[in-house]
Amino acid sequence: MSAQPSLPLVPVPGHAERRAGEPFSLAGARVVAPGGAGAPADHLIDRAAVVAGVRLVRSAATGPGAVVLRLDPHARHAVGTPGAGEPGGYVLDVTADTVTLTAPDVGGLHHGVATVLQLTDQDTATVPPVRVEDSPRFAWRGLAIDVVRHFHAVPTVLALLDVMADLRLNVLHLHLTDDQGWRLDLASYPELTARSGHTAVDGDPGGWYSAQDYAAIQAYAARRGIVVVPEIDLPGHVNAALHAVPELNPDGVARPVYEGIEVGFSRLHADLPATAPFVRSVLAEVAALTTGPYVHIGGDEPPAMPPDEYAELVGLATEAVRGEGKTVVCWQEGARAPLPAGSLVQYWDERADADVVTAAAAAGARVLLSPASRAYLDMKYDATTPVGLDWAGHIDLRHAYDWEPLAVLPDVEPGAVAGVEAAVWAETIRTPEDLFFLLLPRLAAFAEVAWSAPTMRDWSDFAARVAALGPRWDAAGLSWGRVAGVDWTPGPLTMI
Ligand code: TNX
């Protein structure tokens, strides 16, 4: 929209203005965070140490040198943005003397902290004087990562959580089970990881999270305002379970390990006595280990089975999740089965008939938009990209940026759209370098689609702002794609 130089912020905020005056120095600053602002304060202290090399201290003393984080139900935010009613907004005032961040909810404080960190000059540890009023367009701004086809160890997930927080993303969806492996250790069925934890695509090394690892990921995420959603994929995509638990097979014989990347061949059987106890115990334990309010039950790409049997198996799963007080999330295929009111249905497959999703939304489900041709960041950038798939096309940076979520399913009421979620499937991703190379810079484009008002979005403005993130990714030791269309020459943006 505007041709004026922007502050180097991604996603672009609803309103931001550069003020006259000297910058605020983070060196020696105090963080004043009364009431429920402890997690955002920790977020700021943790990240300021890494981003700007400063050691901030908690204090109750306001006045010059203070960074004040305050929950205020009346915080006025987001002038003119359509998402002004969504949680997560904040108001930020930076002067030479103080930084004042107010938000009506904790998420807003986290997002304001991310803005402070992005504005921080890494060399001088100073923040320019600004006023920012901002709020998200969509409440759910997610990223799904597949830790099954190839495993991503805890440090990689934590590094990813830092990148997500920086981009104001607030949901990490972990795809924990599939045909190739089982990645969460459960006391109710220890054989799942014992037998299917070490396997992965092409015989590559696998791995799994202990309950402690999972707790550590969730705690780190919470400290950055991110909720973790675990996915146990069923009734298809279950070969790892069929390998570990023989009783889940009609002949009682364990299925062999699967190291390929085909889909749609494995399934649970509703009529086997082992099936219901398995589904109930696994989901109850996963729900109990999960601090957030959601459990994802998969439901995608079931092999051919009678619709009644599919509905019965999905019903078993939704009842188990509901019984633990959690909200159900499922892939779009799950909408073929009756779902509890308030469930979330995740749309991904643009080749399939979307009527089932539209009907579920009309009946009270909320919709997550993950259209593969835009949001599947495991797609190659172009034909020369050395990793990634291309079944949903190529996604260059501009293609990841220039799309309108509410046009994806035009028959779904905008009010039924909970948000958007990117996904990165790991068939071809062997290393953290592969992962971050596919995510960056496209995750920044996705984050702006998720956060910013359509009227604020502009490709060439984005291309100028995203260039400022390259040196930050370098400083964090992350690989990323120096893709065409952006002038990645190092050097700060002029801030006016
Ligand atoms: C589709 S998304 C899948 C995954 C694959 C992915 C590859 C979904 C619900 N199913 O099993 O990994 O495509 O891009």
Side-chain angles (χ1 to χ4, degrees), residues 328-352:
V328 170
V329 191
C330 63
W331 296 109
Q332 73 195 59
E333 293 90 331
R336 294 184 208 153
L339 295 172
S343 299
L344 287 116
V345 174
Q346 185 166 11
Y347 177 73
W348 66 279
D349 188 352
E350 299 156 279
R351 303 161 300 189

Side-chain angles (χ1 to χ4, degrees), residues 146 149 175 178-180 231 233 237 261-264 296 298-301 331-333 346 348-349 351 370 372 376-379 389-392 423-427:
D146 170 13
R149 275 53 174 270
H175 181 75
D178 211 305
D179 291 318
Q180 298 84 352
E231 180 188 348
D233 199 355
H237 288 270
I261 64 168
E262 296 303 316
V263 295
H296 200 304
D300 57 314
E301 301 171 320
W331 296 109
Q332 73 195 59
E333 293 90 331
Q346 185 166 11
W348 66 279
D349 188 352
R351 303 161 300 189
S370 303
Y376 271 25
L377 302 183
D378 55 313
M379 295 301 118
L389 301 175
D390 59 10
W391 68 264
V424 59
W425 302 94
E427 286 89 340

Side-chain angles (χ1 to χ4, degrees), residues 440-452:
L440 303 175
R442 291 185 295 189
L443 192 63
F446 177 81
E448 189 151 309
V449 172
W451 179 279
S452 303

